[in-house]
Amino acid sequence: MAFNMVEKHSSAYSVTWGINDIIYTEKTPYQKLFIIETEEFGRALVLDDILQTTINDEFYYHEMIAHVPLFTHANPRRVLIIGGGDGGTAREVLKHKCVEQIDLVDIDERVIAVCRKYLPELACSFDNPKVNVLITDGVKYVKSQKNKYDVVIIDSTDPEPMGPAVQLYSSDFYQSVYRCLNDDGLFVAHTDSPCFSFGSDNFRDFWHRINAYFPLTKAYITCVPSYISGYWSFTLGSKRYDPIRDYRHDTSIKTRFYTSELHRACFVLPRFMQELIAKKPKE
Amino acid sequence: MAFNMVEKHSSAYSVTWGINDIIYTEKTPYQKLFIIETEEFGRALVLDDILQTTINDEFYYHEMIAHVPLFTHANPRRVLIIGGGDGGTAREVLKHKCVEQIDLVDIDERVIAVCRKYLPELACSFDNPKVNVLITDGVKYVKSQKNKYDVVIIDSTDPEPMGPAVQLYSSDFYQSVYRCLNDDGLFVAHTDSPCFSFGSDNFRDFWHRINAYFPLTKAYITCVPSYISGYWSFTLGSKRYDPIRDYRHDTSIKTRFYTSELHRACFVLPRFMQELIAKKPKE
């Protein structure tokens, strides 16, 4: 095919994906949406020119954003996913039999509809009766809820300054997340790459914003090869459970990336990340 | 500046670096050499159009290729580095006071000369009297040595089919490395990214080639953000010491990436890498 997709992260760095096909394209009220067939990672969802998830490497991301918080909570029954319109995170959460209800709040119903059609490997989760989809603004929704959820997962797009997700990384939002959690609740968000200059300040700032409300704040690291630098941070804020002290072993859940040993290991940060966290931001 | 550098890893994936300056260029008898100033990671060494090391992220790589094997050995005194012409690995090895001699074997004397001039932060190690530089073919050198080294570090370019380093990933070479090590010796090599289709077979094949000679073969994972996918594997072959059971704690050595906790954690592989290793290659 004659097309490449260029992800321009900054003037300093961009990635060019060879693509075999452009399968679908739409301008939704919120973002530009593409389904493409990448040469390296197979079919992929692209929002606002950034690759969101691919069939071949989605499990790295979805398993680590779902199983780390779910195995940290002693008995997660009600789970809230903000974003997650491709369905991959819900699919992993559903592997935990103790979960009774997943509320999935996405602002853009077109993402869900298109993923149901073109990414059924992920969007299969929407057919499960435990999954309750709400098409609304995640920020407003979270603000309207109190003491309702055991686990909240923020599975949005990146905090680009002008994108729809920027408010999902604000102090106000983290305070609302705290309030919508039960007394032993916890949440997780993906918090940028700590390696690149345009991500490391984000990582540090998000950590401190979360830590301002949660008694226990811990960052963990995994790889998402289709994301910039590969090395991707997640930050967990918890009211009671400690992901290292309290996590449950359960080998009955089938995974391709996550293991119990990796659950412990992913919280071991390299020294430069420890030092990033130790520096308080100016704000 | 009007230049970008495009790293074309395959038709499926390439990375474009914004660059502020092209500082030096030379065609050596072995490879094309550039010193450039990248916008994101500062000054960098480029060989045959692939970024080898940058001032801003070199410590991720050099600390993890040096300190993991050095801290695994009980008393490393003689160390051999194959490649390593930028000097970064030798700089990290020199932090271990027990090391009495480092033989650094690079086939291309121009890399060393140019790095001494343009990358003094790394090449400073060449001024240390413990460092003995030999300009010769690493494959031939290793074949000519017997029971001489405590630790061998393979710090070469990637195993591109036509590059000067391809023999450094062969079964014959690993057998020679085994023979040039003392009875309690160990070695480490970087063994490609396990995430991309063109790296995962390499990772598996190298692991099995090493395991054919060494009683203990263990892979570990770290991040090198300027390398493809970020997620980079290293494989350690050891005659006696186990990197988890036997490693030494020593907090007197100053690092920016490596910590003792990370030494343990980096050997915890995601399930798909365990499964890659479990599959025996056909060869």
Side-chain angles (χ1 to χ4, degrees):
Chain A
M1 189 178 190
F3 288 97
N4 280 326
M5 185 183 88
V6 180
E7 279 187 313
K8 188 159 180 155
H9 295 280
S10 77
S11 63
Y13 186 82
S14 56
V15 169
T16 303
W17 297 94
I19 57 184
N20 294 327
D21 205 358
I22 294 173
I23 291 166
Y24 182 80
T25 172
E26 175 178 342
K27 178 126 183 48
T28 82
Y30 298 99
Q31 48 210 343
K32 274 192 296 175
L33 184 161
F34 284 91
I35 301 287
I36 62 173
E37 192 80 32
T38 70
E39 207 181 321
E40 178 61 31
F41 285 127
R43 196 166 282 195
L45 169 68
V46 179
L47 296 175
D48 285 344
D49 303 331
I50 298 291
L51 211 150
Q52 299 296 320
T53 196
T54 81
I55 288 298
N56 287 7
D57 85 334
E58 56 88 10
F59 68 95
Y60 293 59
Y61 171 86
H62 291 125
E63 290 188 11
M64 293 301 279
I65 201 171
H67 297 307
V68 174
L70 269 285
F71 277 127
T72 297
H73 196 287
N75 184 29
R77 288 180 299 168
R78 292 195 81 152
V79 175
L80 172 64
I81 299 170
I82 302 292
D86 57 46
T89 298
R91 183 196 61 199
E92 294 304 315
V93 172
L94 284 166
K95 291 180 180 173
H96 295 254
K97 298 294 173 222
C98 49
V99 171
E100 293 164 8
Q101 186 175 331
I102 300 171
D103 291 336
L104 186 144
V105 177
D106 201 301
I107 202 165
D108 193 343
E109 64 181 330
R110 292 305 304 153
V111 173
I112 295 171
V114 171
C115 290
R116 284 183 82 110
K117 183 159 181 192
Y118 294 105
L119 295 170
E121 300 88 341
L122 288 81
C124 54
S125 58
F126 294 120
D127 297 326
N128 191 298
K130 290 181 179 176
V131 179
N132 175 40
V133 174
L134 298 129
I135 301 299
T136 186
D137 178 346
V139 173
K140 285 187 190 146
Y141 178 81
V142 167
K143 203 168 261 181
S144 71
Q145 306 297 317
K146 290 239 165 9
N147 304 104
K148 188 168 172 185
Y149 294 102
D150 300 310
V151 173
V152 174
I153 298 173
I154 317 298
D155 180 18
S156 66
T157 50
D158 290 337
E160 298 303 320
M162 305 308 289
V166 65
Q167 283 192 72
L168 299 174
Y169 295 86
S170 68
S171 282
D172 275 2
F173 178 70
Y174 294 137
Q175 187 176 33
S176 303
V177 169
Y178 184 91
R179 287 183 183 150
C180 88
L181 285 165
N182 288 325
D183 290 346
D184 62 354
L186 57 93
F187 97 106
V188 71
H190 63 89
T191 44
D192 224 322
S193 165
C195 308
F196 277 63
S197 54
F198 36 96
S200 64
D201 286 354
N202 277 346
F203 165 71
R204 183 200 56 198
D205 293 354
F206 301 155
W207 193 95
H208 283 279
R209 285 179 204 165
I210 294 167
N211 194 47
Y213 298 107
F214 286 85
L216 193 143
T217 305
K218 287 207 170 159
Y220 62 98
I221 268 292
T222 188
C223 167
V224 189
S226 62
Y227 286 3
I228 177 173
S229 92
Y231 209 52
W232 210 255
S233 76
F234 295 78
T235 306
L236 187 140
S238 176
K239 292 187 179 184
R240 185 180 301 168
Y241 300 111
D242 181 305
I244 300 300
R245 190 191 58 206
D246 300 320
Y247 80 105
R248 293 175 292 120
H249 284 269
D250 182 349
T251 53
S252 71
I253 288 183
K254 285 221 167 93
T255 58
R256 296 160 71 194
F257 194 93
Y258 178 93
T259 68
S260 288
E261 297 73 32
L262 201 64
H263 181 117
R264 294 182 67 88
C266 70
F267 285 95
V268 179
L269 305 181
R271 192 179 301 285
F272 86 95
M273 283 182 72
Q274 297 176 17
E275 288 171 355
L276 257 178
I277 290 171
K279 270 191 248 172
K280 263 208 140 165
K282 282 179 207 145
E283 54 167 3
Chain B
M1 191 180 189
F3 287 97
N4 281 327
M5 185 184 87
V6 180
E7 278 187 314
K8 188 159 180 157
H9 295 280
S10 77
S11 62
Y13 186 83
S14 56
V15 169
T16 304
W17 297 94
I19 56 183
N20 294 327
D21 205 358
I22 294 172
I23 291 166
Y24 182 79
T25 173
E26 175 179 342
K27 178 124 184 47
T28 82
Y30 298 98
Q31 48 210 343
K32 274 191 296 174
L33 184 162
F34 284 91
I35 300 287
I36 63 173
E37 192 79 32
T38 70
E39 208 181 319
E40 178 60 32
F41 284 128
R43 194 166 285 195
L45 169 68
V46 179
L47 296 175
D48 284 344
D49 303 331
I50 298 292
L51 212 149
Q52 299 297 320
T53 196
T54 80
I55 287 299
N56 287 7
D57 85 336
E58 55 88 10
F59 69 95
Y60 294 59
Y61 171 87
H62 290 125
E63 289 188 11
M64 292 302 279
I65 202 171
H67 297 308
V68 174
L70 269 285
F71 277 127
T72 297
H73 196 287
N75 184 30
R77 289 182 298 169
R78 291 195 83 151
V79 175
L80 171 65
I81 299 171
I82 301 291
D86 57 46
T89 298
R91 182 197 63 199
E92 294 304 315
V93 172
L94 284 167
K95 291 180 179 173
H96 295 255
K97 297 294 173 224
C98 49
V99 171
E100 293 164 9
Q101 186 175 332
I102 300 172
D103 291 336
L104 187 145
V105 177
D106 202 300
I107 202 166
D108 193 344
E109 66 182 329
R110 293 304 303 154
V111 173
I112 295 170
V114 171
C115 290
R116 287 183 81 110
K117 183 158 182 192
Y118 294 106
L119 295 170
E121 301 88 341
L122 288 81
C124 54
S125 58
F126 294 119
D127 297 326
N128 190 299
K130 289 180 179 177
V131 179
N132 175 40
V133 174
L134 297 128
I135 302 299
T136 185
D137 178 346
V139 173
K140 285 187 191 148
Y141 178 80
V142 167
K143 202 168 262 182
S144 70
Q145 305 297 315
K146 291 241 167 3
N147 303 105
K148 187 167 172 186
Y149 294 103
D150 300 309
V151 173
V152 174
I153 298 173
I154 317 298
D155 180 17
S156 65
T157 50
D158 289 337
E160 298 304 320
M162 305 309 289
V166 65
Q167 283 193 71
L168 299 174
Y169 295 85
S170 68
S171 282
D172 275 1
F173 179 69
Y174 295 137
Q175 187 176 30
S176 303
V177 169
Y178 184 91
R179 287 184 184 149
C180 88
L181 284 164
N182 288 324
D183 290 346
D184 63 353
L186 56 93
F187 96 106
V188 71
H190 64 89
T191 45
D192 223 321
S193 165
C195 308
F196 277 64
S197 55
F198 36 95
S200 64
D201 285 354
N202 277 346
F203 165 71
R204 181 200 58 196
D205 292 352
F206 302 156
W207 194 96
H208 284 279
R209 285 179 203 164
I210 293 167
N211 195 47
Y213 297 108
F214 286 85
L216 193 145
T217 306
K218 288 208 168 158
Y220 62 98
I221 268 292
T222 188
C223 168
V224 189
S226 62
Y227 287 2
I228 177 172
S229 95
Y231 210 51
W232 211 254
S233 76
F234 295 78
T235 305
L236 186 141
S238 176
K239 293 189 180 183
R240 183 179 302 168
Y241 301 112
D242 180 304
I244 300 300
R245 189 191 59 206
D246 300 319
Y247 79 104
R248 293 175 292 120
H249 284 268
D250 182 349
T251 54
S252 71
I253 288 183
K254 285 222 166 94
T255 58
R256 296 159 70 193
F257 195 91
Y258 177 93
T259 68
S260 288
E261 296 75 31
L262 201 65
H263 181 117
R264 293 183 67 88
C266 70
F267 285 95
V268 179
L269 305 182
R271 192 178 302 284
F272 86 94
M273 284 182 73
Q274 296 175 21
E275 288 172 355
L276 256 179
I277 289 171
K279 268 191 250 174
K280 263 208 142 166
K282 281 178 211 149
E283 56 164 1

